[in-house]
PDB file of all heavy atoms in Angstrom:
ATOM      1  N   GLN H 183      14.033  -8.421 -21.241  1.00 98.00           N
ATOM      2  CA  GLN H 183      14.356  -9.720 -21.805  1.00 98.00           C
ATOM      3  C   GLN H 183      14.928  -9.591 -23.226  1.00 98.00           C
ATOM      4  O   GLN H 183      15.818 -10.350 -23.611  1.00 98.00           O
ATOM      5  CB  GLN H 183      13.105 -10.603 -21.828  1.00 98.00           C
ATOM      6  CG  GLN H 183      13.347 -12.019 -22.310  1.00 98.00           C
ATOM      7  CD  GLN H 183      14.309 -12.789 -21.428  1.00 98.00           C
ATOM      8  OE1 GLN H 183      14.190 -12.777 -20.209  1.00 98.00           O
ATOM      9  NE2 GLN H 183      15.304 -13.447 -22.029  1.00 98.00           N
ATOM     10  N   ASP H 184      14.422  -8.606 -23.972  1.00 98.00           N
ATOM     11  CA  ASP H 184      14.945  -8.431 -25.354  1.00 98.00           C
ATOM     12  C   ASP H 184      16.409  -8.008 -25.321  1.00 98.00           C
ATOM     13  O   ASP H 184      17.212  -8.410 -26.184  1.00 98.00           O
ATOM     14  CB  ASP H 184      14.097  -7.443 -26.135  1.00 98.00           C
ATOM     15  CG  ASP H 184      13.960  -6.091 -25.444  1.00 98.00           C
ATOM     16  OD1 ASP H 184      13.736  -6.075 -24.219  1.00 98.00           O
ATOM     17  OD2 ASP H 184      14.071  -5.054 -26.123  1.00 98.00           O
ATOM     18  N   TRP H 185      16.829  -7.241 -24.324  1.00 98.00           N
ATOM     19  CA  TRP H 185      18.230  -6.861 -24.203  1.00 98.00           C
ATOM     20  C   TRP H 185      19.076  -8.068 -23.785  1.00 98.00           C
ATOM     21  O   TRP H 185      20.196  -8.255 -24.267  1.00 98.00           O
ATOM     22  CB  TRP H 185      18.386  -5.740 -23.187  1.00 98.00           C
ATOM     23  CG  TRP H 185      17.954  -4.388 -23.703  1.00 98.00           C
ATOM     24  CD1 TRP H 185      17.260  -4.116 -24.839  1.00 98.00           C
ATOM     25  CD2 TRP H 185      18.195  -3.139 -23.062  1.00 98.00           C
ATOM     26  NE1 TRP H 185      17.048  -2.769 -24.964  1.00 98.00           N
ATOM     27  CE2 TRP H 185      17.610  -2.144 -23.882  1.00 98.00           C
ATOM     28  CE3 TRP H 185      18.817  -2.746 -21.884  1.00 98.00           C
ATOM     29  CZ2 TRP H 185      17.651  -0.780 -23.554  1.00 98.00           C
ATOM     30  CZ3 TRP H 185      18.858  -1.391 -21.543  1.00 98.00           C
ATOM     31  CH2 TRP H 185      18.275  -0.428 -22.380  1.00 98.00           C
ATOM     32  N   LEU H 186      18.536  -8.893 -22.871  1.00 98.00           N
ATOM     33  CA  LEU H 186      19.263 -10.102 -22.483  1.00 98.00           C
ATOM     34  C   LEU H 186      19.503 -10.992 -23.692  1.00 98.00           C
ATOM     35  O   LEU H 186      20.608 -11.497 -23.904  1.00 98.00           O
ATOM     36  CB  LEU H 186      18.472 -10.880 -21.420  1.00 98.00           C
ATOM     37  CG  LEU H 186      18.330 -10.260 -20.027  1.00 98.00           C
ATOM     38  CD1 LEU H 186      17.472 -11.135 -19.148  1.00 98.00           C
ATOM     39  CD2 LEU H 186      19.681 -10.010 -19.382  1.00 98.00           C
ATOM     40  N   ASP H 187      18.449 -11.157 -24.501  1.00 98.00           N
ATOM     41  CA  ASP H 187      18.570 -12.006 -25.691  1.00 98.00           C
ATOM     42  C   ASP H 187      19.612 -11.453 -26.661  1.00 98.00           C
ATOM     43  O   ASP H 187      20.438 -12.203 -27.217  1.00 98.00           O
ATOM     44  CB  ASP H 187      17.215 -12.135 -26.396  1.00 98.00           C
ATOM     45  CG  ASP H 187      16.193 -12.881 -25.559  1.00 98.00           C
ATOM     46  OD1 ASP H 187      16.585 -13.606 -24.635  1.00 98.00           O
ATOM     47  OD2 ASP H 187      14.971 -12.727 -25.839  1.00 98.00           O
ATOM     48  N   LYS H 188      19.588 -10.153 -26.844  1.00 98.00           N
ATOM     49  CA  LYS H 188      20.500  -9.539 -27.807  1.00 98.00           C
ATOM     50  C   LYS H 188      21.953  -9.684 -27.375  1.00 98.00           C
ATOM     51  O   LYS H 188      22.848  -9.886 -28.215  1.00 98.00           O
ATOM     52  CB  LYS H 188      20.152  -8.070 -27.982  1.00 98.00           C
ATOM     53  CG  LYS H 188      20.994  -7.370 -29.038  1.00 98.00           C
ATOM     54  CD  LYS H 188      20.482  -5.969 -29.299  1.00 98.00           C
ATOM     55  CE  LYS H 188      21.303  -5.285 -30.394  1.00 98.00           C
ATOM     56  NZ  LYS H 188      20.784  -3.920 -30.706  1.00 98.00           N
ATOM     57  N   LEU H 189      22.187  -9.597 -26.075  1.00 98.00           N
ATOM     58  CA  LEU H 189      23.552  -9.655 -25.570  1.00 98.00           C
ATOM     59  C   LEU H 189      23.982 -11.056 -25.182  1.00 98.00           C
ATOM     60  O   LEU H 189      25.114 -11.279 -24.759  1.00 98.00           O
ATOM     61  CB  LEU H 189      23.732  -8.710 -24.386  1.00 98.00           C
ATOM     62  CG  LEU H 189      23.453  -7.224 -24.659  1.00 98.00           C
ATOM     63  CD1 LEU H 189      23.691  -6.405 -23.393  1.00 98.00           C
ATOM     64  CD2 LEU H 189      24.299  -6.701 -25.807  1.00 98.00           C
ATOM     65  N   GLY H 190      23.053 -12.027 -25.276  1.00 98.00           N
ATOM     66  CA  GLY H 190      23.394 -13.416 -24.985  1.00 98.00           C
ATOM     67  C   GLY H 190      23.425 -13.790 -23.531  1.00 98.00           C
ATOM     68  O   GLY H 190      24.169 -14.702 -23.149  1.00 98.00           O
ATOM     69  N   PHE H 191      22.619 -13.138 -22.700  1.00 98.00           N
ATOM     70  CA  PHE H 191      22.567 -13.444 -21.275  1.00 98.00           C
ATOM     71  C   PHE H 191      21.269 -14.182 -20.936  1.00 98.00           C
ATOM     72  O   PHE H 191      20.233 -13.974 -21.558  1.00 98.00           O
ATOM     73  CB  PHE H 191      22.618 -12.159 -20.446  1.00 98.00           C
ATOM     74  CG  PHE H 191      23.955 -11.477 -20.427  1.00 98.00           C
ATOM     75  CD1 PHE H 191      24.138 -10.311 -21.143  1.00 98.00           C
ATOM     76  CD2 PHE H 191      25.026 -11.995 -19.699  1.00 98.00           C
ATOM     77  CE1 PHE H 191      25.369  -9.656 -21.132  1.00 98.00           C
ATOM     78  CE2 PHE H 191      26.234 -11.354 -19.683  1.00 98.00           C
ATOM     79  CZ  PHE H 191      26.421 -10.175 -20.404  1.00 98.00           C
ATOM     80  N   GLU H 192      21.349 -15.002 -19.899  1.00 98.00           N
ATOM     81  CA  GLU H 192      20.164 -15.556 -19.263  1.00 98.00           C
ATOM     82  C   GLU H 192      19.759 -14.619 -18.109  1.00 98.00           C
ATOM     83  O   GLU H 192      20.531 -13.740 -17.694  1.00 98.00           O
ATOM     84  CB  GLU H 192      20.452 -16.949 -18.713  1.00 98.00           C
ATOM     85  CG  GLU H 192      20.858 -17.971 -19.763  1.00 98.00           C
ATOM     86  CD  GLU H 192      19.728 -18.296 -20.724  1.00 98.00           C
ATOM     87  OE1 GLU H 192      18.546 -18.253 -20.279  1.00 98.00           O
ATOM     88  OE2 GLU H 192      20.005 -18.610 -21.898  1.00 98.00           O
ATOM     89  N   LYS H 193      18.565 -14.806 -17.573  1.00 98.00           N
ATOM     90  CA  LYS H 193      18.173 -14.013 -16.414  1.00 98.00           C
ATOM     91  C   LYS H 193      19.127 -14.287 -15.264  1.00 98.00           C
ATOM     92  O   LYS H 193      19.573 -15.416 -15.052  1.00 98.00           O
ATOM     93  CB  LYS H 193      16.742 -14.377 -15.996  1.00 98.00           C
ATOM     94  CG  LYS H 193      15.673 -13.909 -16.947  1.00 98.00           C
ATOM     95  CD  LYS H 193      14.302 -14.334 -16.448  1.00 98.00           C
ATOM     96  CE  LYS H 193      13.212 -13.953 -17.452  1.00 98.00           C
ATOM     97  NZ  LYS H 193      11.887 -14.435 -17.027  1.00 98.00           N
ATOM     98  N   PRO H 194      19.439 -13.253 -14.504  1.00 98.00           N
ATOM     99  CA  PRO H 194      20.411 -13.425 -13.413  1.00 98.00           C
ATOM    100  C   PRO H 194      19.856 -14.286 -12.291  1.00 98.00           C
ATOM    101  O   PRO H 194      18.684 -14.188 -11.927  1.00 98.00           O
ATOM    102  CB  PRO H 194      20.652 -12.001 -12.943  1.00 98.00           C
ATOM    103  CG  PRO H 194      19.414 -11.248 -13.311  1.00 98.00           C
ATOM    104  CD  PRO H 194      18.960 -11.866 -14.597  1.00 98.00           C
TER     105      PRO H 194
END
Side-chain angles (χ1 to χ4, degrees):
Q183 184 62 47
D184 55 317
W185 285 11
L186 292 178
D187 294 341
K188 184 173 182 178
L189 300 182
F191 288 106
E192 299 293 329
K193 290 179 184 176

